[in-house]
Amino acid sequence: MSNAPLSAPCMWMRGGTSKGAYFLKQDLPQDTAERDAFLLSIMGSPDPRQIDGMGGGDPLTSKVAVVEPSSRPGIDVDYLFLQVFVDEAIVSDGQNCGNILAGVGAFAIERGLVVANDGETTVNIFMENTGQVASCVIQTPNGVVSYRGGAAIDGVVGTASPVAVTFKDTAGSSCGALLPTGREFDNIDGVPVTMIDNGMPVVVFRAEDMGITGTESRAELEENAELRKKLESIRLQAGPLMNLGDVTERSVPKMTMVSAAQQGGAISTRTFIPHRCHASIGVLGAVSVATACMLPESPAYGLANIPEGELKTLAIEHPIGNLTVLLTTDQNNNVENSAILRTTRKLYDGVVFGH
Ligand code: NQM
C-alpha cells in the first residue's frame, strides 16, 4: 500500500500540442515510487480511457512537468518530464518533451521562481531527462504572463502568445551521439533507417518501405496491425543499437516514416511514439527528423527539400499541418542549434486529488 498523498497543488497547462500537470518538485512526494503511484492515480492509469483520472486517454494528454529552482549557473529552473503511460502502470523519465517544455517558463513565473520583466522574459531551463538547456522567451507585459496573442501552431485551434524555444546542445541527448551507430544509415529487417538523436531518439525511414504512402490519417495507421508489428520489430532492434538498451517498456525511440512533402514543406512525416501514432509530431522529434534530412546517406535526404544558407527553415509536415524547425548550420552543413515556435495556455490552477 503506497503512502501517496491525497492531494497536491497543481497547474494544468497545454504546452504546445500536449497537455498535462505541472508541479513544483516540493509539492510531490520525494520518494520516486510514491511520486509515481500518485501520478498514476491522478491521471487514472492504467486504463485506456483514464476515466478515474485527469488524463485524456492519450499519451499526449498524460504528461507531467516537475519544476524546481536551479542551482546551476545561468539556469533559472530545472525541469523533469514524466510520461504517465495510459494503459500500463508505468511512469517514465526516459524521454524529454519539447511540447510540455513550452509551458515550463510561464509556470515558473506564475509560481514565483522567476521574476518577469516588463515585456519579454527569457527563462533558461535545464532539462533533467537529457541534461541539456533550452531557452524560452515568454511574453510578460507589465511583468505578468500573457497567454493571449496572435501566434498559431498547427494542431491547436486559434492563437495564443508566442513562446520562442531555442535548443543548443541537443545532439546525443539520450544516445550519447547524434548518430549512435556512427553511421548515417543502417538496415533493419531489410529497411534502410537512420538512427538519430538530436534531442529525441528517432528511427527515420521511408513510408514506402513500410508499404504505406505516408499520407494516411492517424486512425488509419493505428488500425494497421501489420504495420504496427513491423514497426515494433524494428524498434526493439534499434533500442540496443542506439545505446538505449532493452526498449520494450520505454517510450523511445520514436518511429518516423517519411515521404515527400505534400504542402510545400521540407518533408512529410507519420510518427509512432512508439505504439500510438502521434496526432502531429513531437518538438524534439521534429528537430531530430529535420537533422536527418541534412544527412546525404539518410533515407530522408533524397525526399527532403533543403533550403540554401546557414539558417535553414524546415517545415516538417505531419498529419494535421507542419512544425517549423529553424536549424543553424555551419559551413559543412552540420547542425549547430535549433529553434521552434510554440504556444502555451494555463487551463487550471488548484489542487489535484489522488486515491
Ligand atoms: O519530441 C510526444 C509531444 C511528444 C514529445 C512524443 C515531444 C518532443 O508531442 O519534444 O514534444 O514524441 O512522445 O509532446
Side-chain angles (χ1 to χ4, degrees), residues 236 239-240 244-250:
L236 294 180
L244 296 168
D246 177 1
V247 292
T248 314
E249 295 204 340
R250 293 193 63 177

Short mmCIF file of all heavy atoms in Angstrom, two decimals, residues 236 239-240 244-250:
data_model
loop_
_atom_site.label_atom_id
_atom_site.label_comp_id
_atom_site.label_asym_id
_atom_site.label_seq_id
_atom_site.Cartn_x
_atom_site.Cartn_y
_atom_site.Cartn_z
N LEU A 236 12.49 -2.54 -31.49
CA LEU A 236 13.16 -3.34 -30.46
C LEU A 236 14.61 -3.65 -30.84
O LEU A 236 15.47 -3.77 -29.98
CB LEU A 236 12.38 -4.63 -30.20
CG LEU A 236 10.99 -4.44 -29.57
CD1 LEU A 236 10.29 -5.77 -29.36
CD2 LEU A 236 11.09 -3.68 -28.24
N GLY A 239 16.70 -0.20 -30.38
CA GLY A 239 16.98 0.24 -28.99
C GLY A 239 18.43 -0.01 -28.58
O GLY A 239 19.17 0.94 -28.28
N PRO A 240 18.88 -1.29 -28.58
CA PRO A 240 20.27 -1.54 -28.17
C PRO A 240 21.28 -0.88 -29.11
O PRO A 240 22.32 -0.39 -28.65
CB PRO A 240 20.39 -3.08 -28.25
CG PRO A 240 18.98 -3.59 -28.22
CD PRO A 240 18.11 -2.52 -28.80
N LEU A 244 20.21 2.51 -26.06
CA LEU A 244 19.06 2.71 -25.17
C LEU A 244 18.71 1.42 -24.42
O LEU A 244 17.82 1.42 -23.58
CB LEU A 244 17.84 3.17 -25.98
CG LEU A 244 17.98 4.52 -26.68
CD1 LEU A 244 16.85 4.74 -27.68
CD2 LEU A 244 18.01 5.66 -25.65
N GLY A 245 19.43 0.33 -24.72
CA GLY A 245 19.17 -0.95 -24.06
C GLY A 245 17.86 -1.56 -24.54
O GLY A 245 17.38 -1.27 -25.64
N ASP A 246 17.28 -2.38 -23.66
CA ASP A 246 16.01 -3.03 -23.99
C ASP A 246 14.90 -1.98 -23.89
O ASP A 246 14.66 -1.43 -22.81
CB ASP A 246 15.78 -4.17 -22.99
CG ASP A 246 14.44 -4.86 -23.22
OD1 ASP A 246 13.70 -4.48 -24.16
OD2 ASP A 246 14.12 -5.78 -22.43
N VAL A 247 14.25 -1.69 -25.02
CA VAL A 247 13.26 -0.60 -25.01
C VAL A 247 11.82 -1.11 -24.96
O VAL A 247 10.88 -0.35 -25.19
CB VAL A 247 13.44 0.35 -26.24
CG1 VAL A 247 14.75 1.11 -26.11
CG2 VAL A 247 13.36 -0.41 -27.56
N THR A 248 11.68 -2.41 -24.61
CA THR A 248 10.33 -2.99 -24.56
C THR A 248 9.38 -2.11 -23.76
O THR A 248 8.24 -1.88 -24.18
CB THR A 248 10.38 -4.40 -23.91
OG1 THR A 248 11.46 -5.11 -24.50
CG2 THR A 248 9.08 -5.15 -24.11
N GLU A 249 9.83 -1.61 -22.61
CA GLU A 249 8.94 -0.81 -21.75
C GLU A 249 9.30 0.67 -21.77
O GLU A 249 9.00 1.41 -20.84
CB GLU A 249 9.00 -1.35 -20.32
CG GLU A 249 8.44 -2.74 -20.21
CD GLU A 249 7.94 -3.08 -18.82
OE1 GLU A 249 8.35 -2.40 -17.87
OE2 GLU A 249 7.14 -4.01 -18.72
N ARG A 250 9.97 1.11 -22.84
CA ARG A 250 10.33 2.53 -22.91
C ARG A 250 9.54 3.21 -24.02
O ARG A 250 9.05 2.56 -24.95
CB ARG A 250 11.83 2.68 -23.17
CG ARG A 250 12.67 2.21 -21.98
CD ARG A 250 14.10 2.64 -22.10
NE ARG A 250 14.23 4.10 -22.09
CZ ARG A 250 15.41 4.73 -22.13
NH1 ARG A 250 16.52 4.05 -22.15
NH2 ARG A 250 15.45 6.06 -22.15
#
